[in-house]
Amino acid sequence: MILPLSKPIKTTTGTEVSELFVPNGTTLLLSVLGANINPDMWGEDAREWKPERWLKPLPEKVIEAHIPGIYSHLMTFLGGGRACIGFKFSQLEMKVVLAVLLASFKFEDSGKKIKWKMPGIAVPVVEGNDATHPSLPMVVSLVDK
């Protein structure tokens, strides 16, 4: 098959191509993270956590890309016949945990710079610390009732 590319790339010989020949039986790997944080689609702030992004209309490039994700134009839960059957359960589980925690505790930034590493799943790491030990320091206190 011929695989069209979203934008031209240069081959190892320096030739610019906008499509690739993919021989029958070739295994293709898809970067879920790449689809979710592509600045060509989501804008220069694609790597920033911005929940408000979904409170206004999405960029036209995101809509035109026809990303096959089952949730909010993202590939976090994949799409099509291989989509995660538990995505609604996982969302509900996160909401319940947050509702319970936020009713009793206040969470504040510790002031430490956090970087996100992607060794299979996204993990927070304190900048300058060992990347093999994920951590997300924060100040936790009881909510005044």
Side-chain angles (χ1 to χ4, degrees):
M1 75 166 274
I2 303 297
L3 178 66
L5 303 174
S6 62
K7 63 182 181 181
I9 61 169
K10 284 197 178 187
T11 65
T12 55
T13 62
T15 307
E16 193 170 277
V17 296
S18 58
E19 57 188 25
L20 298 172
F21 171 71
V22 181
N24 189 28
T26 301
T27 300
L28 297 176
L29 299 176
L30 170 70
S31 172
V32 171
L33 177 63
N36 287 352
I37 62 168
N38 183 345
D40 289 339
M41 286 193 302
W42 294 97
E44 291 304 313
D45 61 355
R47 290 183 168 269
E48 294 176 35
W49 170 244
K50 289 190 165 183
E52 66 273 12
R53 192 182 310 269
W54 286 270
L55 296 177
K56 57 187 176 195
L58 292 172
E60 273 303 310
K61 287 186 176 182
V62 172
I63 295 165
E64 291 169 2
H66 300 290
I67 297 172
I70 57 174
Y71 179 74
S72 197
H73 297 281
L74 295 172
M75 289 297 292
T76 305
F77 298 101
L78 297 180
R82 301 229 184 250
C84 175
I85 61 172
F87 90 98
K88 281 290 186 190
F89 175 75
S90 72
Q91 289 177 322
L92 178 63
E93 189 174 38
M94 287 184 273
K95 289 175 184 178
V96 168
V97 168
L98 279 172
V100 170
L101 290 174
L102 293 175
S104 300
F105 299 100
K106 184 166 91 173
F107 298 88
E108 297 176 88
D109 187 354
S110 67
K112 297 189 182 206
K113 178 95 171 135
I114 303 296
K115 293 194 119 185
W116 288 88
K117 301 293 180 182
M118 309 295 172
I121 60 168
V123 294
V125 177
V126 175
E127 192 174 282
N129 285 7
D130 182 4
T132 61
H133 293 90
S135 62
L136 183 59
M138 62 182 79
V139 177
V140 180
S141 55
L142 288 171
V143 169
D144 296 328
K145 292 187 179 189

